[in-house]
Amino acid sequence: MTAPTSSTPASSTPPARDAPRPQISLLLGAVLLAYLGQMTLNPIIAPLSREVGLAEWQIGATISTAAVMVVLTSQFWGRRSQSWGRKPVLVAAFVLATVTMVLFALLAWLGMAGAVTGTALFLIFVLLRGIGFGSALAAVPPTAQAYIADVTTDERARVKGMAGVGAVQGIAMVGGSMIGGLLSAFGLIAPLIAVPVLLGAGLVLIALRLRRESRHERIDTPKRVSPVDTRVWPYLLAGFGMFTALGFIQVITGFIVQDRLGLDSATTGLVTGGALLAAGVGMIVAQTVIVPRSGWTPPTLLRVGGLVALGGFVVLIVDAGAVPLFVAILSIGLGLGIAMPGYTAGPSLLVDRDEQGGLAGLVGATTGLTFVIAPTLATALYGSWAPLPVIVGAAVMALVVLFVFAHPRFRRSRTRAEAEPRRA
């Protein structure tokens, strides 16, 4: 893929010389706090489910519901971020996220006390953690990605900016794993209280510091981008495969740690936090060191990252103790960290400015779609035979690697102007 030039429409219009400086760092800070809120829950979700009496499949269904909400709302949020502006969208998202997670912490406490149990507990879990928080979180990545696409004007800057979004997600994975794991030593309710505190901090940051765009900077009627648009569907399919593979192991990591290492609930939270910390370290190294310094194009990032992640999946299949388990999860984080900027930056270089919000929403919806089925199926497969969801994840990742090596979109350089016809 060639870098866009001023003679092609592949770049956004450069900001005027006297225009305010882009607030990329501030926006990335908001992404960090949103994902810290999400990741802090991950180390305790498995032991929490068992403490309140929910089955593995019920936790999988809750996560899948959140993914459905991401699919249903991401394109809406992506286009609204261009028509309403970034600030109103993010303020609304953080308000919703904070309120729902305050209520979720209260529900979890009532569940552990035995005041709410059974079907009622499960349904309210789905309402708060699935529908409420899922809808709120869906607004954050499309808003950030559309903004970065607006203010970057060439392939290298675009890849670096999109890598920044992935990097803060990796930092959030590390930070959330540490916060959730360490606080779980004081009881499972402690990390549940920390989540709305983090989200509230993000709300304050956005409300007080983020500058709202002037009217002429916004786009009144952002365009939709079709998932079968030939400029973008190969990237969407590759991303769908990557995150499907991840979905098969992400929700069962706590169960793998507890069952393979024979740990109690409190220790499981701490060790699972360490495992997710390893994945986050891999992602941070990939997106703060490897991606910016390599100068690789989006297709190359997808190929290299896919191969590294596939190696991690293969190692994770075998129950060989703690060290191989941690190495496998580190490799998966490293590989996906390399591949993700290729998935997000690649199609953004091929569409127009008024399509960036729609594309960012479509990318978010595609990612969310992978978690509609994968977590529920993974937990169901885990209940029948523990290695099975890892084997399925490895097979999906292998297909992604074959696809990005074989498809013509990833084997030749094309600018956006050369990407016609747009429909398959």
Side-chain angles (χ1 to χ4, degrees):
M1 181 181 298
T2 58
T5 67
S6 59
S7 61
T8 73
S11 61
S12 307
T13 302
R17 183 170 296 179
D18 59 347
R21 186 175 181 179
Q23 295 182 290
I24 293 179
S25 296
L26 179 62
L27 206 60
L28 292 179
V31 176
L32 173 63
L33 288 166
Y35 278 94
L36 269 177
Q38 181 192 36
M39 298 298 179
T40 296
L41 284 178
N42 284 351
I44 66 162
I45 199 68
L48 176 64
S49 70
R50 289 171 173 171
E51 286 291 320
V52 300
L54 294 179
E56 288 92 340
W57 73 264
Q58 291 176 309
I59 292 300
T62 301
I63 296 172
S64 293
T65 301
V68 169
M69 299 312 300
V70 172
V71 173
L72 294 177
T73 61
S74 284
Q75 290 201 65
F76 169 82
W77 288 126
R79 294 194 301 273
R80 294 295 82 76
S81 74
Q82 289 194 297
S83 60
W84 295 352
R86 328 294 176 184
K87 185 168 185 174
V89 167
L90 288 174
V91 166
F94 272 91
V95 167
L96 178 58
T98 303
V99 171
T100 54
M101 294 315 293
V102 167
L103 295 175
F104 182 80
L106 176 61
L107 175 67
W109 177 72
L110 292 172
M112 287 186 284
V116 182
T117 59
T119 303
L121 179 69
F122 171 56
L123 292 177
I124 303 173
F125 253 62
V126 171
L127 176 64
L128 295 176
R129 178 63 180 84
I131 296 174
F133 188 67
S135 299
L137 194 65
V140 178
T143 302
Q145 290 167 11
Y147 181 80
I148 289 169
D150 251 0
V151 299
T152 53
T153 59
D154 60 73
E155 181 179 276
R156 191 177 185 90
R158 184 75 51 83
V159 169
K160 184 177 180 180
M162 296 298 183
V165 176
V168 297
Q169 288 177 294
I171 293 170
M173 186 178 292
V174 171
S177 300
M178 292 177 64
I179 294 169
L182 292 174
L183 289 181
S184 68
F186 301 97
L188 295 179
I189 195 65
L192 289 169
I193 294 172
V195 171
V197 172
L198 291 166
L199 295 170
L203 175 59
V204 171
L205 176 67
I206 292 298
L208 297 183
R209 297 292 305 278
L210 185 64
R211 182 177 60 249
R212 186 170 185 179
E213 300 101 315
S214 62
R215 181 67 184 174
H216 77 274
E217 291 178 294
R218 302 197 294 271
I219 298 172
D220 291 332
T221 56
K223 291 182 180 178
R224 289 178 177 268
V225 179
S226 170
V228 296
D229 188 318
T230 56
R231 297 170 298 174
V232 303
W233 77 258
Y235 285 97
L236 296 179
L237 186 59
F240 179 82
M242 288 192 307
F243 285 100
T244 295
L246 176 62
F248 270 98
I249 65 161
Q250 189 174 53
V251 71
I252 63 169
T253 298
F255 299 121
I256 290 174
V257 167
Q258 186 168 25
D259 295 339
R260 288 189 182 182
L261 304 183
L263 306 176
D264 58 29
S265 294
T267 309
T268 296
L270 186 62
V271 178
T272 302
L276 297 175
L277 175 66
V281 167
M283 190 172 290
I284 292 171
V285 170
Q287 301 195 350
T288 61
V289 180
I290 297 174
V291 173
R293 294 187 180 182
S294 68
W296 289 333
T297 63
T300 302
L301 292 171
L302 285 167
R303 294 190 195 105
V304 174
L307 284 170
V308 174
L310 176 58
F313 276 96
V314 171
V315 173
L316 189 61
I317 292 173
V318 181
D319 180 1
V323 173
L325 190 154
F326 273 71
V327 169
I329 293 176
L330 172 66
S331 299
I332 292 170
L334 180 67
L336 293 179
I338 294 171
M340 281 170 55
Y343 163 53
T344 53
S348 76
L349 291 159
L350 300 172
V351 302
D352 298 314
R353 181 174 180 265
D354 58 358
E355 295 175 300
Q356 294 293 347
L359 172 65
L362 187 59
V363 168
T366 301
T367 304
L369 184 61
T370 64
F371 289 94
V372 172
I373 298 174
T376 302
L377 183 56
T379 48
L381 293 176
Y382 188 84
S384 63
W385 185 42
L388 189 54
V390 184
I391 293 171
V392 173
V396 172
M397 197 70 232
L399 291 174
V400 171
V401 171
L402 289 174
F403 178 68
V404 297
F405 271 92
H407 194 275
R409 168 62 71 197
F410 305 109
R411 290 192 284 108
R412 63 174 181 268
S413 298
R414 300 176 77 188
T415 66
R416 191 171 64 195
E418 298 169 329
E420 303 295 343
R422 298 185 179 186
R423 301 287 179 182

